[in-house]
Structure formats: C-alpha cells, structure tokens
Amino acid sequence: MATLEGAGRLSGVRPGILDRERIIASAGFNRWLVPPAALCIHLCIGMAYGFSVFWLPLSRAVGLSAPKVCGDMTIFQELFTTTCDWRVASMGWMYTLFFVLLGASAAIWGGWLERVGPRKAGFVSAVCWSGGLVLGAIGIYTHQLWLLWLGSGVIGGIGLGLGYISPVSTLVKWFPDRRGMATGMAIMGFGGGAMIGAPLANMLMNYFKTPTDVGVWQTFLVMGLIYFVFMTIGAFAYRITPPNWRPDGWTPPAQANTMITAHHVHLKDAHKTKQFWLIWAVLCLNVSAGIGVIGMASPMLQEIFSGKLIGLPDLSFNQLSAEQKTLIAGIAAGFAGLLSLFNIAGRFFWASLSDKIGRKNTYYVFFILGIVLYALVPTLAAMGSKVMFVLAFGIILSMYGGGFATVPAYLADIFGTQFVGAIHGRLLTAWATAGIIGPVVVNYIREAQIAAGVPRAQVYDFTMYILAGMLVLGLICNALVRPLADKWFMKPEEVAALQAKGVAATSGGGSYGIGKGGLDARAAAFWAFVGIPLAWGVWITLQNAAKIF
C-alpha cells in the first residue's frame, strides 16, 4: 500500500492540526462519516435564511412595547443612532450582505480552500460565522446598526461562503459513484438550517427577554457558541481521499457518458470556457425565479387567499381587520416553513435523481416543469385551490433547492474533480447576482401592479409569467452545454504533480483499504447527532404548516 505521509513530515516538520496533510484518510476509514461532518457546518450557516425572526424584536429594541420611530432619519443616521429603533427594511439589507459576501468569498478563496483542505476552511468558517454573531451581539447591545452589519453581515457572510463550499470537492471525491447524492446530502443542510435555528432563536429570545430587554443580543451570543461547537466538530471530522482513491470494487462505467469527463480542467482556465458561463446562467436563472418567490411567500399567500385562510372567503385582503391580518400572517408563516421543507427535500431528491438521469437532464426537468408550474399559478390562484397552489410552489421550491445541490456534480462532470470546489466557488457569484435580480423583479412588479390598481389577489399574475420567461432562457442555456474540447484539459503529468503536493508519491490509486463504508456504530451516532436536531426542526415546521389547511 502506498504511503500517505505528508511532504512536511518527510522534511522532518509535522503538519499542523489544521493542515491538509493531517486529514488524509487511512485504511479502515468510513466515508459515510464525511456527509454528517458537512451537515454540522451547513445546518449552522443555513440560519442565514432564518434571520428575519430577529427583525420585529429588534425593531422595538429601544421602544420595547412599540417601535420608537424617527421618521426623518436617513440610513446614514440610522447606522449610528442609539435613541431610535431600526427599521425592518434597513435590517433586511442583511440578506443582501449575506448572499453577496457568500458568493464573493467563495469565488475569492475557493482556490485557497483547494490548497489548504476542508478542515482549515471549515474552521475559519466557524470562526467567521460564530464570531460575526458575537460582534453582532455587541452591535445590538450598544445599538449600533453598522456593527451588526459588519459582524453578522460582512464577517458572517465570509463564513457563509467558506462553509458552503468547504465540503463540495471532498464529497465529490469520496462518492465518485454517487456524486449527486453526496453533495445533495450536505447542501440540503443549508436549506434546513433555518428550520432548526428560527424556532431555537424564538425559544431563546422568550427566555432572555425582560421588561427592559427584548433578549436578542443574548440569543446571538448563545447561538454563536452553539454554532461554533457544531461547526468545529464538523471541520475536525473532515477527511480527504488519498490520491486517485476509488471505492473498493468500483470502476468507472465501461460505457462512458460523454457528459462526464475523466479529465480535469485547471481553475485558471475554467472561467475561460463557454460551458462555465452557460452553467453560471443556468444556476442564476433557476435561483432568480426561486429566490424571488421565497422572499415574498408570506405576503403572496395572504394577498391571494386573504379571508379564505380563516374561513371568510368573501373578504379580500383590504377588507380584513387588523386582528384578522395578524391571524393570516401566522398561517402564512407556516407556508414559508413548508416551502423550506420542500427546499430541503428537493436538494436530496433531485441531486440523487441526477445520478440516474444525468445532470443536464435534471436541469431540463427543472426548467420545463418550472415553466409549466409558474404559468399555472395564476389559474390555481383564481380557482381558489389552496392545496394545488401550495403543492405547485412546493415543487417549485424543491427544484430551487435541487438546483443548488445538483450543480456541484454538474461541474465535476464537465470540469473534473481536481478543482471542482474552487470552480463551484466562482460559480456561486451567480447566486449573489440572483439574490438581487429575483427580489427586484418580484417586489418592483408587485408595487407597480398595486399602483396601477390591480386587485391584491392578482398582483402576482404578471410576475409569474416573467419568472416563467426567465426559466425559458435557462432552458436554452442548459441545452447549449456541451462536453469540453480536449484543449482545456490538464495533461496527466500536471494532474499527478498537483496530487503529489503534500503527499509522497503514490501508486496508480485504488481503495487503500478504505472500501465503500457503511452505517457502523460510529457513523450511526454521527448521523443521529445531526439528524435529531433536523428532525425536531421538521416537526415544528409541519405543526405550523398544518394551520394552512
């Protein structure tokens, strides 16, 4: 068996505890320990989707019983005020910071991640995400909005990017036989983080609140500590494959798929190919449509179904009393939670299905089925069918999540696995772009429709057709994706030289005594460690979603 000692060790210097050379798996390792390690990180950073749970309490942090509003305050003044409450819209900029910084940091430091390995990247992610929460807590305690933005938004956003891409390359290499399923298992955690984090945050805020404090800064501190522990456990549980590792007894299919390459493209060349930008557009358009719906899910259900949600079908949204609007807002929150559940399930289901039907065909399904469903939404709304309406958006959101989970395997198929994590990081700039396009399209068209006097129940009809048109463009881009020309692939000796960095020369590869792994006692315990909190979040979500019907 080939030796796996690090180059640093060969020179007499033992690698550091976070170094890539320290986490190369040895004989007897179970590869099924890697996905729950990734989930430890993704379930924590996924709370980014649930940050809106803090906005209403923070909007009355000074006034306590009601917001202390300073109507003539500029956004610059709001960043530094200590006497006026923050506006919900201003705090909502956190989402823009989250996803722009996620895409930017993933693109900037993706190459660094490939060099240093997932443990160091995962640990830095834990420091940034949890440290950002601590700095945010200080900002809340001192009532400085700029400090909340800097801590949770900027530093936390960097942690989001590093944590999001940290397992991608590792999982693709551990599961060459099930690329889609492996990345789907990890990335579904990002969609599920809010299902655990949001109810946990509510519990903590209720525990810490007093007549003189809304309890948010204490909640930030406790969650920061919890997340740091979980993410550190995940980072230190990462292991990477020996060079040219493959599962025991598994060989690439003899009848090669032309859409799956056995070669590798260097990071410096990936963005020079039209395939990269076509897949970039595929992800951007799929996500733009989905993220626009996520951002307006709650008001959409309230304005379309209005009194029907509380057994008063003759009442439109504007005819509801303040108490009735509060009641349907609670029901709509259950709808948003249910969409999160579809988002999670879709990440695993569609990514796993892509192993069977191929990545390109999976995106064909996303776009064709999505076009049909978006175009049908106005009809379903006019019919007043809550069940069909919710089901349609559930499927749409499953494909939104499925797009995220499938794209790393799509990239590995086209560009090879050597730099897939870093390439994926650069591709996530599509997400940052979509985070601007989707909400802008939905929000501004909605405002224009309302200003034009369109009834509240119909203000989203035109928007749905626009989103369907965006998916048509995505369908075209996906159809244009072709295998790369040979000129883009690295030479075998270049790949070997890269793989030899940090490890001694190895043989041509094999299973290294690792095998395919299975659900042994250690793996079962680790899966339970991440599965029990996730199951709790699902249970809470289903309880809230039941109120819709």
Side-chain angles (χ1 to χ4, degrees):
M1 182 180 299
T3 179
L4 301 178
E5 297 296 323
R9 188 176 301 178
L10 292 177
S11 64
V13 180
R14 183 177 174 81
I17 194 171
L18 296 177
D19 289 346
R20 183 185 185 92
E21 293 81 8
R22 288 286 292 272
I23 60 172
I24 300 172
S26 56
F29 179 74
N30 187 348
R31 63 175 178 165
W32 288 95
L33 292 168
V34 181
L39 280 169
C40 279
I41 291 178
H42 273 233
L43 286 172
C44 294
I45 62 176
M47 180 52 188
Y49 274 134
F51 250 64
S52 60
V53 74
F54 299 118
W55 297 163
L56 289 180
L58 284 176
S59 70
R60 51 182 173 79
V62 175
L64 298 174
S65 59
K68 185 177 181 180
V69 179
C70 300
D72 58 347
M73 183 170 55
T74 66
I75 185 64
F76 181 78
Q77 292 171 324
E78 191 173 10
L79 289 173
F80 300 98
T81 182
T82 58
T83 58
C84 301
D85 273 313
W86 302 327
R87 290 170 289 208
V88 171
S90 299
M91 290 182 284
W93 278 99
M94 190 76 75
Y95 282 112
T96 301
L97 290 172
F98 277 155
F99 297 118
V100 169
L101 267 295
L102 186 156
S105 61
I108 293 170
W109 289 296
W112 170 80
L113 185 154
E114 292 288 354
R115 292 192 301 272
V116 303
R119 175 181 286 186
K120 183 175 288 187
F123 183 73
V124 172
S125 171
V127 171
C128 289
W129 179 242
S130 301
L133 284 171
V134 172
L135 193 56
I138 297 172
I140 295 167
Y141 182 78
T142 58
H143 202 69
Q144 293 290 293
L145 182 59
W146 70 269
L147 200 52
L148 176 64
W149 279 9
L150 174 64
S152 294
V154 177
I155 297 175
I158 293 171
L160 281 178
L162 292 175
Y164 190 87
I165 63 173
S166 65
V168 170
S169 177
T170 302
L171 284 168
V172 165
K173 291 171 184 173
W174 271 120
F175 292 87
D177 49 336
R178 303 179 186 181
R179 286 177 178 174
M181 180 208 70
T183 55
M185 281 190 294
I187 290 176
M188 76 175 183
F190 192 82
M195 284 201 313
I196 302 171
L200 175 61
N202 270 323
M203 290 172 56
L204 290 171
M205 285 189 290
N206 288 331
Y207 177 78
F208 287 118
K209 71 179 180 182
T210 67
T212 59
D213 197 304
V214 293
V216 179
W217 71 265
Q218 300 95 325
T219 299
F220 267 49
L221 285 179
V222 172
M223 294 185 75
L225 176 61
I226 293 172
Y227 286 158
F228 182 76
V229 171
F230 265 76
M231 294 175 73
T232 300
I233 290 172
F236 276 78
Y238 278 144
R239 295 293 183 273
I240 61 175
T241 62
N244 300 315
W245 178 85
R246 56 180 178 268
D248 190 29
W250 179 83
T251 55
Q255 191 68 31
N257 185 334
T258 57
M259 290 299 295
I260 301 178
T261 184
H263 306 291
H264 307 277
V265 177
H266 199 284
L267 176 62
K268 63 182 176 63
D269 293 323
H271 67 280
K272 300 175 184 177
T273 68
K274 67 178 182 180
Q275 283 85 346
F276 175 88
W277 293 107
L278 286 170
I279 298 176
W280 189 97
V282 162
L283 181 66
C284 183
L285 291 164
N286 185 59
V287 171
S288 293
I291 208 168
V293 169
I294 287 177
M296 292 301 291
S298 177
M300 190 183 301
L301 188 79
Q302 295 176 64
E303 292 176 330
I304 289 175
F305 289 97
S306 306
K308 296 184 181 71
L309 294 172
I310 52 175
L312 300 171
D314 295 329
L315 294 183
S316 67
F317 183 80
N318 290 330
Q319 293 173 320
L320 295 173
S321 67
E323 293 77 10
Q324 290 169 331
K325 287 181 179 180
T326 300
L327 187 59
I328 69 169
I331 295 172
F335 176 55
L338 188 60
L339 291 184
S340 295
L341 191 55
F342 274 98
N343 181 358
I344 298 165
R347 290 171 188 246
F348 181 71
F349 172 78
W350 291 111
S352 298
L353 182 64
S354 75
D355 287 330
K356 304 293 184 183
I357 67 174
R359 258 57 80 170
K360 187 173 182 177
N361 288 335
T362 302
Y363 271 96
Y364 275 138
V365 174
F366 292 163
F367 290 124
I368 294 172
L369 184 56
I371 291 166
V372 172
L373 290 174
Y374 275 114
L376 276 177
V377 163
T379 301
L380 297 176
M383 290 168 55
S385 174
K386 288 186 290 184
V387 173
M388 294 302 294
F389 182 89
V390 170
L391 181 61
F393 274 110
I395 295 172
I396 286 170
L397 264 294
S398 80
M399 296 187 294
Y400 165 82
F404 280 121
T406 304
V407 81
Y410 203 169
L411 293 172
D413 290 351
I414 299 296
F415 297 97
T417 61
Q418 186 66 38
F419 288 97
V420 67
I423 295 171
H424 181 230
R426 291 187 176 179
L427 193 85
L428 289 181
T429 53
W431 187 0
T433 304
I436 298 171
I437 294 175
V440 165
V441 168
V442 173
N443 295 343
Y444 279 89
I445 293 179
R446 173 182 177 275
E447 294 299 322
Q449 294 287 86
I450 291 174
V454 176
R456 287 292 184 108
Q458 299 170 19
V459 296
Y460 299 98
D461 291 4
F462 185 62
T463 303
M464 294 301 110
Y465 297 133
I466 293 294
L467 297 180
M470 293 170 65
L471 294 186
V472 171
L473 294 177
L475 179 67
I476 294 170
C477 291
N478 189 56
L480 294 175
V481 176
R482 296 285 189 274
L484 285 168
D486 290 342
K487 68 177 182 177
W488 295 111
F489 294 121
M490 299 168 63
K491 296 177 181 179
E493 54 269 26
E494 292 178 299
V495 177
L498 279 173
Q499 292 177 342
K501 285 183 178 180
V503 295
T506 67
S507 62
S511 69
Y512 294 88
I514 294 173
K516 288 188 175 182
L519 199 64
D520 57 19
R522 187 181 175 192
F526 203 0
W527 276 100
F529 180 70
V530 296
I532 290 173
L534 183 57
W536 176 75
V538 170
W539 173 247
I540 296 295
T541 299
L542 290 175
Q543 283 184 313
N544 293 331
K547 299 174 184 177
I548 301 173
F549 309 105

